[in-house]
Amino acid sequence: MTVQKIIIDTDPGQDDAVAILLALASPEIEVLGLTCVAGNVPLPLTVKNALTICELAGRSDLPVYAGCESPLERTLVTAEHVHGKTGLDGIALPEPTMPLAGGHAADFIIDTLRREPAGTVTLCPIGPLTNIAAAFRRAPDIVARVKRIVLMGGAYFEVGNITPAAEFNIYVDPEAADIVFRSGVPLVVMPLDVTHKVLTTRARIAAIAALGTPAAEAVASWTGFFERFDKEKYGSEGAPLHDPCVIAWLLKPELFEGREINVEIELEGTYTTGMTVADWWRVTDRAPNALFIRDVDADGFYALLTERLARL
Ligand code: BDR
Ligand code: CA
């Protein structure tokens, strides 16, 4: 078994939390650290939530770093309307006691990429791309050392969830997204087009709750909270587990289907700032820069998630 070394860059967020638990439960993945960014809620809360999740998973040894508290060039937009005031509403968990690692998240990303052999570390951003772009700006030499970036962000057929045209992670920091999408690093993109297909139906969450572990109980409560927003908005049966798609792709890419296409980030649109302009139909001659995922075997995804959560 080849173990994939990853850094998860995150703004937890209930779906971020499920992604982190899925990674920590999977022996094929070595999480080198969590880097926190402002996004769903301000940085102090995303940091606190990341520590809480590590302790829930019994991984108080894992280094957790605080990163950028605001986007590169814009004012922070948050999503308490989806994730609640704490960002991790749904179940009361103990205040974390494990220490935060010293130093800035971007420096941890830089140091790790310089230390590890080139082409062996995958970056998994599941929040706004500020920390990744900050690291690339500060240390352009690391860009060529990244194996791949597998990220949750963007939308094409589903268009936007924070504006009519833009998905939240890209909208919050489009300049950072632009740096990442132009970096030349191989990208795998999980847009809303695929994440809206992995819905937390009652039966799927009941199967997780039946595991009866503290982690499973937390996942069931978080998704219960998080669901109400999408049920009201889309009339769907449950909520999309956006961020865990990133980890599921690393574990079982055969569950997903997409196309190698060109994706540009809209930076100046009057109504479309933060839109991922995806050339799905290849109507331009712009070179492909991303594997843009559109389809998933949702039952296979939940079977994987449930089996892994059982190990925590
Ligand atoms: C993305 O935005 C956040 O609210 C979620 O955690 C996910 O990363 C979905 O648009
Ligand atoms: Ca997220």
Side-chain angles (χ1 to χ4, degrees):
M1 180 177 69
T2 13
V3 176
Q4 309 189 57
K5 292 179 195 170
I6 70 169
I7 296 172
I8 303 180
D9 189 72
T10 178
D11 63 337
Q14 294 86 351
D15 60 322
D16 299 69
V18 180
I20 293 165
L21 293 180
L22 176 58
L24 294 179
S26 297
E28 308 93 321
I29 289 179
E30 181 187 354
V31 182
L32 301 176
L34 301 184
T35 51
C36 301
V37 68
N40 287 323
V41 283
L43 187 68
L45 286 173
T46 63
V47 168
K48 180 182 171 204
N49 293 343
L51 297 171
T52 302
I53 296 157
C54 288
E55 289 191 357
L56 175 69
R59 291 296 309 274
S60 45
D61 60 302
L62 197 70
V64 176
Y65 293 85
C68 300
E69 59 188 2
S70 53
L72 296 181
E73 293 173 23
R74 296 176 193 252
T75 305
L76 178 66
V77 174
T78 53
E80 285 87 356
H81 60 294
V82 183
H83 300 274
K85 230 169 55 197
T86 67
L88 208 50
D89 281 21
I91 185 172
L93 291 168
E95 287 285 305
T97 58
M98 67 181 270
L100 182 65
H104 193 280
D107 290 323
F108 170 72
I109 294 170
I110 294 168
D111 295 344
T112 306
L113 284 161
R114 285 181 177 161
R115 186 188 64 234
E116 297 289 336
T120 61
V121 176
T122 297
L123 301 179
C124 297
I126 52 177
L129 289 156
T130 321
N131 286 340
I132 310 293
F136 284 5
R137 266 190 178 173
R138 259 183 231 178
D141 60 290
I142 65 168
V143 175
R145 302 181 67 83
V146 180
K147 178 178 180 190
R148 185 188 275 138
I149 296 176
V150 188
L151 67 90
M152 190 282 135
Y156 186 63
F157 297 94
E158 284 284 295
V159 288
N161 61 355
I162 185 75
T163 72
E167 179 280 332
F168 180 78
N169 289 342
I170 306 294
Y171 178 77
V172 172
D173 198 342
E175 283 74 21
D178 188 51
I179 289 173
V180 169
F181 277 75
R182 289 181 189 283
S183 67
V185 176
L187 297 183
V188 180
V189 177
M190 294 291 164
L192 298 179
D193 306 302
V194 66
T195 68
H196 280 181
K197 292 176 178 160
V198 288
L199 297 177
T200 56
T201 62
R202 223 176 255 181
R204 288 167 177 165
I205 296 308
I208 291 174
L211 298 174
T213 62
E217 192 199 340
V219 171
S221 321
W222 286 330
T223 52
F225 178 84
F226 180 55
E227 247 176 33
R228 88 213 178 287
F229 175 79
D230 291 84
K231 279 180 166 168
E232 274 166 31
K233 181 170 169 192
Y234 297 106
S236 52
E237 192 186 340
L241 278 187
H242 306 284
D243 295 339
C245 288
V246 164
I247 307 299
W249 186 87
L250 291 175
L251 296 168
K252 278 199 164 190
E254 64 275 18
L255 293 175
F256 296 88
E257 264 177 52
R259 284 189 190 179
E260 293 281 352
I261 59 166
N262 178 271
V263 181
E264 302 290 337
I265 309 298
E266 179 59 82
L267 297 178
E268 289 180 10
T270 307
Y271 302 109
T272 54
T273 301
M275 182 177 185
T276 42
V277 180
D279 190 4
W280 182 263
W281 302 112
R282 299 189 182 112
V283 294
T284 73
D285 55 8
R286 294 196 287 257
N289 59 351
L291 173 60
F292 197 82
I293 305 293
R294 188 177 178 186
D295 273 309
V296 59
D297 167 0
D299 287 332
F301 169 93
Y302 276 94
L304 173 69
L305 177 63
T306 310
E307 183 254 314
R308 292 308 161 95
L309 289 176
R311 299 180 188 209
L312 278 179

